[in-house]
Amino acid sequence: MRIPSFDLEVFFGKYEFSTPYLLAQSDCESVSIDALLRLEPDAEAARREFLNTGLGYGENNGTPALRKAVAGLFENMKPEDVVSFTGAQEGIFACMNVLLEPGDHVVCMFPAYQSLYEVARSMGCHVDFWSLRQTENGWQADMDELAALVRKDTKAIIVNSPHNPTGFTLNSAQTAALCALAEKCGAWVFCDEVYRGLGANAAAGAAAPEPAEKEAPWVADVYEKGVSLGVLSKAYGLPGLRVGWLACKDAALREGISRYKNYLSICGATPAEALALVALRHGLELLAANRNLIQRNLAVADAFFARHAETFIYNRPMAGPIGFPRMRLQGSVGDFCETLAREAGVLLLPATVYGLDEPYFRIGYGRASFADNLARLEAWMTRKGLL
Ligand SMILES: Cc1ncc(COP(=O)(O)O)c(C=O)c1O
C-alpha cells in the first residue's frame, strides 16, 4: 500500500527540534525515568527492579500486568480485551488494516489526525468526512450531519474525542447517539481517545477543574462493535515510552489485530512496558498535575485572547491540551507560522497540515513553558504591527 506523507509529522520533523519555544504541542509536560520511578513508595527498589527488566522479546499483546492495568481504566474491559501497541499510531494502522477492505464506506470526523482517514483512503475505502463546525461557541459537531452521512453499508465510523486539533469533545448523549447510529447499520465505531483522562476543562474563571470521572464513557465500554484507542503519550505526558492500546470486546478483531502486529513491532519494548506499568500505577497523580497545568495555562490564554479579540477567535477547547483558534489576519497561516518560527523561534501548527485552507492554527496548553512562549508570540506580533 502506498500512502501520502503525514503532513503534520513532516512539519514537526522540520521544526520541533530546531524551534526553541514550542506552543503547539499536543503532549502534556513530561517527566524523566528517574522522576517516574520516584513516584514509587520505595524508589530505590523501583530503580533496581527497572534495571533488572529483561531485554528478551515481550508478549505479542503486551505483558499481562500491563493489559490488566489498562483494562482497569475501563468499566467493562478484561485484560484479554486489550492489545498494547508501540504508540497509538501503530494501533490505528493495525486496526484499519484488519477492519477495512478496499471499497468499504467509512465516515471520519474532520479535520483529523491524518492517519485516522488516510490509512483507510490509501487502502481504497471510500471516506466521507463528518466536518466539525466553527460556531459562536467554538467547535461543535452536528449529529444530524453524521446521520445523513451514515449509509446502510457503512463499515466504520471513525471519531476522535477529545479532538485533535479543536478540543471538541463528545458528551455522553452524543456518544450514545453515535453508537446507536452505528448499531442500526452494523458499523464499527473506532474512537481515538488518546486525549482522555484530563476531564472537561473548567469554564473560564472557575476555580477547580472538572474531575476526570465526568468524561463520556470509552466507546468500547458501551458498544459491542466499539474500538477504543488510548495511549500514555498525551494526557500522561509520556510519548517517549511509545505505549498505546486498543480495547475491544470482539475477540476475532483482536486476534486479527494481534496477527497483523506480527508484521509491525511484533511486541512492545520491554523497558517501555515496565515503565508504563509504573505510570499507570500513578496515573491519577500524573493526570492531576497536567490537568492543573492546563487550567493555569487556560487562564493565561483567556486573558490573551480577550486582549486580542480583534485578531483571533479563541475557540477555547472543551477538553484536552489543544485548541484551534482562528486568525482574522490577511494572508496564509502557513506563511505566518513559518515566519514566526524563523524570526521568533515560536512554534504554532498551521491548519494547512490538516488539509484545511483556512486561517486556523493549533495551540497546546499542556506545557510548563506556555505562558513564556505565549508572551514571545505576543511580543513578536506587536513588533510586527500585527496586534
Ligand atoms: C488523535 C491522535 N491519535 C493518535 C496519535 C498518535 O499518538 P502516538 O504518538 O502515541 O503514536 C496522535 C498524536 O499526535 C493524535 O493526536
Side-chain angles (χ1 to χ4, degrees), residues 4-28:
S5 310
F6 202 121
D7 292 338
L8 178 154
E9 300 297 352
V10 170
F11 184 90
F12 274 136
K14 186 167 167 198
Y15 289 108
E16 188 174 2
F17 295 99
S18 55
T19 313
Y21 309 113
L22 302 175
L23 198 51
Q25 304 326 102
S26 61
D27 44 318
C28 291

Side-chain angles (χ1 to χ4, degrees), residues 26 87-89 92 113 160 164 192 194-195 231 233-234 242:
S26 61
Q89 190 75 293
I92 296 173
Y113 189 64
N160 167 214
N164 173 4
D192 178 330
V194 302
Y195 293 98
V231 82
S233 303
K234 307 297 183 181
R242 314 300 302 129

